[in-house]
Amino acid sequence: MRHEQFRLCSVDLDPVEFAEKDIRRGMPRFQEPHFSRNREWLPEFRNLADEVGFTPAQLALAWVLMHGDNVHVIPGTTSVNHLEEDYVAKDIELSSGVCRRLESLINQETVSGRRYTAPTQAEIDTEQFA
């Protein structure tokens, strides 16, 4: 399943356009200067998705799913078409070369800003890096 147009994603929007109750409004990664920095790797990510014949959403979901049988995704979507597009990711097998390219492009060194604010991070146990 290949789409010529890329599905709109978070980095296609300006954070001021997010709905009032959108959880991303309070996330440091979606605030400046981090948001602009994180947009810098988007063209290369989209090019890689196009190169392997999938949408950026499918590529991202497939990458997450390949990390183990106990790893699952809960993609947010606004339409049945997007849900069907996302569902395809469960059958995508990424080559080790594609994985290396993804991991060198997007990693804890290249993503700017924390996912959560300090108070929220204190309540959860995700994104704890050495």
Side-chain angles (χ1 to χ4, degrees), residues 6 42-53 56 59 101:
F6 291 114
L42 182 60
E44 190 173 344
F45 178 75
R46 283 185 164 159
N47 287 339
L48 180 57
D50 191 49
E51 183 181 312
V52 296
L59 180 60
R101 289 173 61 191

Side-chain angles (χ1 to χ4, degrees), residues 10 13-26 78:
S10 298
L13 300 173
D14 185 317
V16 298
E17 297 175 41
F18 293 159
E20 186 177 324
K21 293 183 178 184
D22 192 316
I23 191 172
R24 296 170 297 177
R25 282 182 164 259
T78 57

Side-chain angles (χ1 to χ4, degrees), residues 74-85:
I74 305 172
T77 187
T78 57
S79 74
V80 171
N81 287 341
H82 290 169
L83 178 62
E84 290 170 348
E85 177 184 310

Side-chain angles (χ1 to χ4, degrees), residues 1-6 46 49-51 53-56 58:
M1 175 187 234
R2 178 70 189 113
H3 299 276
E4 291 306 314
Q5 285 191 323
F6 291 114
R46 283 185 164 159
D50 191 49
E51 183 181 312
F54 299 107
T55 67
Q58 290 169 330

Side-chain angles (χ1 to χ4, degrees), residues 29-109:
R29 290 182 184 165
F30 290 93
Q31 298 171 1
E32 294 300 345
H34 306 296
F35 186 73
S36 292
R37 289 184 189 141
N38 291 327
R39 289 180 82 158
E40 291 174 3
W41 45 257
L42 182 60
E44 190 173 344
F45 178 75
R46 283 185 164 159
N47 287 339
L48 180 57
D50 191 49
E51 183 181 312
V52 296
F54 299 107
T55 67
Q58 290 169 330
L59 180 60
L61 293 169
W63 180 84
V64 170
L65 289 169
M66 65 164 274
H67 283 84
D69 292 336
N70 62 336
V71 175
H72 302 280
V73 295
I74 305 172
T77 187
T78 57
S79 74
V80 171
N81 287 341
H82 290 169
L83 178 62
E84 290 170 348
E85 177 184 310
D86 292 345
Y87 187 73
V88 171
K90 72 178 183 50
D91 297 320
I92 296 173
E93 292 186 31
L94 300 175
S95 71
S96 59
V98 168
C99 291
R100 278 193 301 276
R101 289 173 61 191
L102 278 172
E103 291 165 2
S104 107
L105 178 62
I106 306 168
N107 59 64
Q108 67 188 53
E109 301 298 321

